[in-house]
CSV table of all heavy atoms in Angstrom, one decimal:
chain,number,residue,atom,x,y,z
A,21,PHE,N,-9.1,1.7,-21.0
A,21,PHE,CA,-9.8,0.5,-21.3
A,21,PHE,C,-8.9,-0.7,-21.7
A,21,PHE,O,-9.4,-1.7,-22.2
A,21,PHE,CB,-10.9,0.7,-22.3
A,21,PHE,CG,-12.0,1.6,-21.8
A,21,PHE,CD1,-12.1,2.9,-22.2
A,21,PHE,CD2,-13.0,1.2,-20.9
A,21,PHE,CE1,-13.1,3.8,-21.7
A,21,PHE,CE2,-14.0,2.0,-20.4
A,21,PHE,CZ,-14.0,3.3,-20.8
A,22,ASN,N,-7.6,-0.5,-21.6
A,22,ASN,CA,-6.6,-1.5,-22.0
A,22,ASN,C,-6.8,-2.0,-23.5
A,22,ASN,O,-6.8,-3.1,-23.8
A,22,ASN,CB,-6.7,-2.7,-21.1
A,22,ASN,CG,-6.2,-2.5,-19.7
A,22,ASN,OD1,-5.2,-1.7,-19.6
A,22,ASN,ND2,-6.7,-3.1,-18.7
A,23,VAL,N,-6.9,-1.0,-24.3
A,23,VAL,CA,-7.0,-1.3,-25.8
A,23,VAL,C,-5.7,-1.0,-26.4
A,23,VAL,O,-5.1,0.0,-26.3
A,23,VAL,CB,-8.1,-0.3,-26.4
A,23,VAL,CG1,-8.2,-0.6,-27.9
A,23,VAL,CG2,-9.4,-0.5,-25.8
A,24,PRO,N,-5.1,-2.0,-27.2
A,24,PRO,CA,-3.8,-1.8,-27.8
A,24,PRO,C,-3.8,-0.7,-28.8
A,24,PRO,O,-2.8,0.0,-28.9
A,24,PRO,CB,-3.5,-3.2,-28.4
A,24,PRO,CG,-4.3,-4.2,-27.6
A,24,PRO,CD,-5.6,-3.4,-27.3
A,25,GLY,N,-4.8,-0.6,-29.7
A,25,GLY,CA,-4.7,0.4,-30.7
A,25,GLY,C,-6.1,0.8,-31.3
A,25,GLY,O,-7.1,0.1,-31.1
A,26,ALA,N,-6.0,1.9,-32.1
A,26,ALA,CA,-7.3,2.4,-32.7
A,26,ALA,C,-6.9,3.1,-34.0
A,26,ALA,O,-5.7,3.6,-34.2
A,26,ALA,CB,-8.0,3.3,-31.8
A,27,ALA,N,-7.9,3.3,-34.9
A,27,ALA,CA,-7.8,4.2,-36.0
A,27,ALA,C,-9.0,5.1,-36.0
A,27,ALA,O,-10.1,4.5,-35.8
A,27,ALA,CB,-7.6,3.4,-37.3
A,28,VAL,N,-8.9,6.4,-36.2
A,28,VAL,CA,-10.0,7.3,-36.2
A,28,VAL,C,-10.0,8.2,-37.4
A,28,VAL,O,-8.9,8.7,-37.7
A,28,VAL,CB,-10.0,8.1,-34.9
A,28,VAL,CG1,-11.2,9.1,-34.8
A,28,VAL,CG2,-9.9,7.2,-33.6
A,29,GLY,N,-11.1,8.4,-38.0
A,29,GLY,CA,-11.2,9.3,-39.1
A,29,GLY,C,-12.4,10.3,-38.9
A,29,GLY,O,-13.5,9.9,-38.4
A,30,VAL,N,-12.2,11.5,-39.3
A,30,VAL,CA,-13.3,12.5,-39.3
A,30,VAL,C,-13.3,13.3,-40.6
A,30,VAL,O,-12.3,13.8,-41.1
A,30,VAL,CB,-13.1,13.6,-38.1
A,30,VAL,CG1,-14.2,14.6,-38.1
A,30,VAL,CG2,-13.0,12.8,-36.8
A,31,ILE,N,-14.5,13.4,-41.2
A,31,ILE,CA,-14.7,14.2,-42.4
A,31,ILE,C,-15.8,15.1,-42.2
A,31,ILE,O,-16.9,14.8,-41.7
A,31,ILE,CB,-14.9,13.3,-43.6
A,31,ILE,CG1,-14.9,14.1,-44.9
A,31,ILE,CG2,-16.1,12.4,-43.5
A,31,ILE,CD1,-14.8,13.2,-46.2
A,32,LYS,N,-15.6,16.4,-42.6
A,32,LYS,CA,-16.6,17.5,-42.4
A,32,LYS,C,-16.6,18.3,-43.6
A,32,LYS,O,-15.6,18.8,-44.1
A,32,LYS,CB,-16.3,18.3,-41.2
A,32,LYS,CG,-17.2,19.5,-40.9
A,32,LYS,CD,-18.5,19.0,-40.3
A,32,LYS,CE,-19.3,20.2,-39.7
A,32,LYS,NZ,-19.9,21.0,-40.8
A,33,ASP,N,-17.8,18.5,-44.2
A,33,ASP,CA,-18.0,19.4,-45.4
A,33,ASP,C,-17.0,18.9,-46.5
A,33,ASP,O,-16.4,19.8,-47.2
A,33,ASP,CB,-17.7,20.8,-45.0
A,33,ASP,CG,-18.7,21.3,-44.0
A,33,ASP,OD1,-19.9,20.9,-44.1
A,33,ASP,OD2,-18.4,22.1,-43.1
A,34,GLY,N,-16.8,17.6,-46.7
A,34,GLY,CA,-16.0,17.1,-47.7
A,34,GLY,C,-14.5,17.2,-47.5
A,34,GLY,O,-13.7,16.8,-48.3
A,35,LYS,N,-14.1,17.7,-46.3
A,35,LYS,CA,-12.7,17.8,-46.0
A,35,LYS,C,-12.3,16.9,-44.8
A,35,LYS,O,-13.0,16.8,-43.8
A,35,LYS,CB,-12.4,19.3,-45.5
A,35,LYS,CG,-10.9,19.5,-45.1
A,35,LYS,CD,-10.7,21.0,-44.7
A,35,LYS,CE,-9.3,21.2,-44.3
A,35,LYS,NZ,-9.0,22.6,-43.9
A,36,VAL,N,-11.3,16.1,-45.0
A,36,VAL,CA,-10.8,15.2,-44.0
A,36,VAL,C,-10.1,16.0,-42.9
A,36,VAL,O,-9.0,16.6,-43.2
A,36,VAL,CB,-9.9,14.1,-44.6
A,36,VAL,CG1,-9.3,13.2,-43.5
A,36,VAL,CG2,-10.6,13.2,-45.6
A,37,LEU,N,-10.6,15.9,-41.7
A,37,LEU,CA,-10.0,16.6,-40.6
A,37,LEU,C,-9.1,15.7,-39.8
A,37,LEU,O,-8.2,16.2,-39.1
A,37,LEU,CB,-11.1,17.2,-39.6
A,37,LEU,CG,-12.2,18.1,-40.3
A,37,LEU,CD1,-13.1,18.6,-39.2
A,37,LEU,CD2,-11.5,19.3,-40.9
A,38,LEU,N,-9.3,14.4,-39.8
A,38,LEU,CA,-8.5,13.5,-39.1
A,38,LEU,C,-8.5,12.2,-39.8
A,38,LEU,O,-9.6,11.7,-40.2
A,38,LEU,CB,-9.1,13.3,-37.6
A,38,LEU,CG,-8.2,12.4,-36.7
A,38,LEU,CD1,-6.9,13.2,-36.3
A,38,LEU,CD2,-9.0,12.1,-35.5
A,39,ASN,N,-7.3,11.5,-39.9
A,39,ASN,CA,-7.2,10.3,-40.6
A,39,ASN,C,-5.9,9.6,-40.1
A,39,ASN,O,-4.9,9.8,-40.7
A,39,ASN,CB,-7.2,10.5,-42.1
A,39,ASN,CG,-7.0,9.2,-42.9
A,39,ASN,OD1,-7.3,8.1,-42.4
A,39,ASN,ND2,-6.6,9.3,-44.1
A,40,LYS,N,-6.0,8.9,-38.9
A,40,LYS,CA,-4.7,8.5,-38.4
A,40,LYS,C,-4.9,7.3,-37.4
A,40,LYS,O,-6.1,7.0,-37.1
A,40,LYS,CB,-4.0,9.6,-37.6
A,40,LYS,CG,-4.7,10.1,-36.4
A,40,LYS,CD,-4.0,11.3,-35.8
A,40,LYS,CE,-2.6,11.0,-35.3
A,40,LYS,NZ,-2.0,12.1,-34.6
A,41,GLY,N,-3.8,6.7,-37.1
A,41,GLY,CA,-3.9,5.5,-36.1
A,41,GLY,C,-3.2,5.9,-34.8
A,41,GLY,O,-2.5,6.9,-34.7
A,42,TYR,N,-3.5,5.1,-33.8
A,42,TYR,CA,-3.0,5.2,-32.5
A,42,TYR,C,-2.6,3.9,-31.9
A,42,TYR,O,-3.3,2.9,-32.1
A,42,TYR,CB,-4.1,5.9,-31.6
A,42,TYR,CG,-4.6,7.2,-32.0
A,42,TYR,CD1,-5.6,7.3,-33.0
A,42,TYR,CD2,-4.1,8.4,-31.6
A,42,TYR,CE1,-6.1,8.5,-33.4
A,42,TYR,CE2,-4.6,9.6,-32.0
A,42,TYR,CZ,-5.6,9.6,-32.9
A,42,TYR,OH,-6.1,10.9,-33.4
A,43,GLY,N,-1.6,3.8,-31.1
A,43,GLY,CA,-1.2,2.6,-30.5
A,43,GLY,C,-0.7,1.5,-31.4
A,43,GLY,O,-0.1,1.8,-32.4
A,44,ARG,N,-0.8,0.3,-30.9
A,44,ARG,CA,-0.2,-0.8,-31.6
A,44,ARG,C,-1.1,-1.8,-32.3
A,44,ARG,O,-2.3,-2.0,-32.0
A,44,ARG,CB,0.5,-1.7,-30.5
A,44,ARG,CG,1.6,-1.0,-29.7
A,44,ARG,CD,2.2,-2.0,-28.7
A,44,ARG,NE,3.3,-1.4,-27.9
A,44,ARG,CZ,4.0,-2.1,-27.0
A,44,ARG,NH1,3.7,-3.4,-26.8
A,44,ARG,NH2,4.9,-1.5,-26.3
A,45,GLN,N,-0.5,-2.3,-33.4
A,45,GLN,CA,-1.3,-3.4,-34.1
A,45,GLN,C,-1.4,-4.7,-33.3
A,45,GLN,O,-2.4,-5.4,-33.3
A,45,GLN,CB,-0.5,-3.7,-35.4
A,45,GLN,CG,-0.3,-2.6,-36.4
A,45,GLN,CD,0.5,-3.0,-37.6
A,45,GLN,OE1,0.6,-4.2,-37.9
A,45,GLN,NE2,1.2,-2.0,-38.2
A,46,ASP,N,-0.3,-4.9,-32.5
A,46,ASP,CA,-0.2,-6.2,-31.8
A,46,ASP,C,0.4,-5.9,-30.4
A,46,ASP,O,1.5,-5.2,-30.4
A,46,ASP,CB,0.7,-7.1,-32.6
A,46,ASP,CG,0.9,-8.5,-32.0
A,46,ASP,OD1,0.8,-8.6,-30.7
A,46,ASP,OD2,1.1,-9.5,-32.7
A,47,ILE,N,-0.2,-6.3,-29.4
A,47,ILE,CA,0.3,-6.0,-28.0
A,47,ILE,C,1.7,-6.5,-27.8
A,47,ILE,O,2.4,-5.9,-27.0
A,47,ILE,CB,-0.7,-6.5,-27.0
A,47,ILE,CG1,-0.4,-5.9,-25.6
A,47,ILE,CG2,-0.7,-8.0,-26.9
A,47,ILE,CD1,-0.6,-4.4,-25.5
A,48,ASN,N,2.1,-7.5,-28.5
A,48,ASN,CA,3.4,-8.1,-28.3
A,48,ASN,C,4.5,-7.5,-29.2
A,48,ASN,O,5.6,-8.0,-29.2
A,48,ASN,CB,3.3,-9.6,-28.6
A,48,ASN,CG,2.3,-10.3,-27.7
A,48,ASN,OD1,2.3,-10.1,-26.5
A,48,ASN,ND2,1.4,-11.1,-28.2
A,49,LYS,N,4.1,-6.5,-30.1
A,49,LYS,CA,5.1,-5.9,-31.0
A,49,LYS,C,4.9,-4.4,-30.9
A,49,LYS,O,4.0,-3.9,-30.4
A,49,LYS,CB,4.8,-6.5,-32.4
A,49,LYS,CG,5.0,-8.0,-32.6
A,49,LYS,CD,4.7,-8.4,-34.0
A,49,LYS,CE,4.8,-10.0,-34.1
A,49,LYS,NZ,4.5,-10.4,-35.5
A,50,THR,N,5.9,-3.8,-31.5
A,50,THR,CA,5.9,-2.3,-31.5
A,50,THR,C,5.4,-1.7,-32.8
A,50,THR,O,5.4,-0.5,-33.0
A,50,THR,CB,7.3,-1.8,-31.3
A,50,THR,OG1,8.2,-2.3,-32.3
A,50,THR,CG2,7.9,-2.2,-29.9
A,51,LEU,N,4.8,-2.5,-33.7
A,51,LEU,CA,4.3,-2.0,-34.9
A,51,LEU,C,3.1,-1.0,-34.7
A,51,LEU,O,2.1,-1.4,-34.0
A,51,LEU,CB,3.8,-3.1,-35.8
A,51,LEU,CG,4.9,-4.1,-36.3
A,51,LEU,CD1,4.3,-5.3,-37.0
A,51,LEU,CD2,5.9,-3.4,-37.2
A,52,ALA,N,3.2,0.2,-35.2
A,52,ALA,CA,2.2,1.2,-34.9
A,52,ALA,C,1.0,1.1,-35.9
A,52,ALA,O,1.2,0.7,-37.1
A,52,ALA,CB,2.8,2.6,-35.0
A,53,ILE,N,-0.2,1.4,-35.5
A,53,ILE,CA,-1.3,1.5,-36.3
A,53,ILE,C,-1.3,2.9,-37.0
A,53,ILE,O,-0.9,3.9,-36.4
A,53,ILE,CB,-2.6,1.4,-35.5
A,53,ILE,CG1,-2.8,0.0,-35.0
A,53,ILE,CG2,-3.8,1.9,-36.3
A,53,ILE,CD1,-4.0,-0.2,-34.1
A,54,ASP,N,-1.6,2.9,-38.3
A,54,ASP,CA,-1.7,4.1,-39.1
A,54,ASP,C,-3.0,4.1,-39.9
A,54,ASP,O,-3.9,3.3,-39.7
A,54,ASP,CB,-0.5,4.3,-40.0
A,54,ASP,CG,-0.3,3.1,-41.0
A,54,ASP,OD1,-1.3,2.6,-41.4
A,54,ASP,OD2,0.9,2.8,-41.3
A,55,SER,N,-3.1,5.1,-40.8
A,55,SER,CA,-4.4,5.2,-41.5
A,55,SER,C,-4.7,4.1,-42.5
A,55,SER,O,-5.8,3.9,-43.0
A,55,SER,CB,-4.4,6.6,-42.3
A,55,SER,OG,-3.4,6.6,-43.2
A,56,LYS,N,-3.6,3.3,-42.8
A,56,LYS,CA,-3.8,2.2,-43.8
A,56,LYS,C,-3.9,0.8,-43.1
A,56,LYS,O,-4.0,-0.2,-43.8
A,56,LYS,CB,-2.6,2.2,-44.8
A,56,LYS,CG,-2.4,3.5,-45.5
A,56,LYS,CD,-3.5,3.8,-46.5
A,56,LYS,CE,-3.3,5.0,-47.3
A,56,LYS,NZ,-2.1,5.0,-48.2
A,57,THR,N,-3.8,0.8,-41.8
A,57,THR,CA,-3.9,-0.5,-41.1
A,57,THR,C,-5.2,-1.1,-41.3
A,57,THR,O,-6.3,-0.5,-41.3
A,57,THR,CB,-3.7,-0.3,-39.6
A,57,THR,OG1,-2.4,0.3,-39.4
A,57,THR,CG2,-3.7,-1.6,-38.8
């Protein structure tokens, strides 16, 4: 879908199973998305 970046989180039974970023903050730069973006 031509999306530069995403952040995804999953919590189950009080436990964080996923908490991370994907792709870029800015299509023109190499800065990566993370859980704090």
Side-chain angles (χ1 to χ4, degrees):
F21 295 104
N22 287 330
V23 178
V28 181
V30 180
I31 187 167
K32 177 78 168 71
D33 299 325
K35 180 181 179 181
V36 175
L37 303 183
L38 185 71
N39 178 19
K40 66 184 297 185
Y42 302 84
R44 298 181 180 183
Q45 301 172 26
D46 184 328
I47 194 64
N48 301 311
K49 300 178 181 180
T50 58
L51 296 171
I53 289 176
D54 60 31
S55 65
K56 301 294 182 67
T57 301

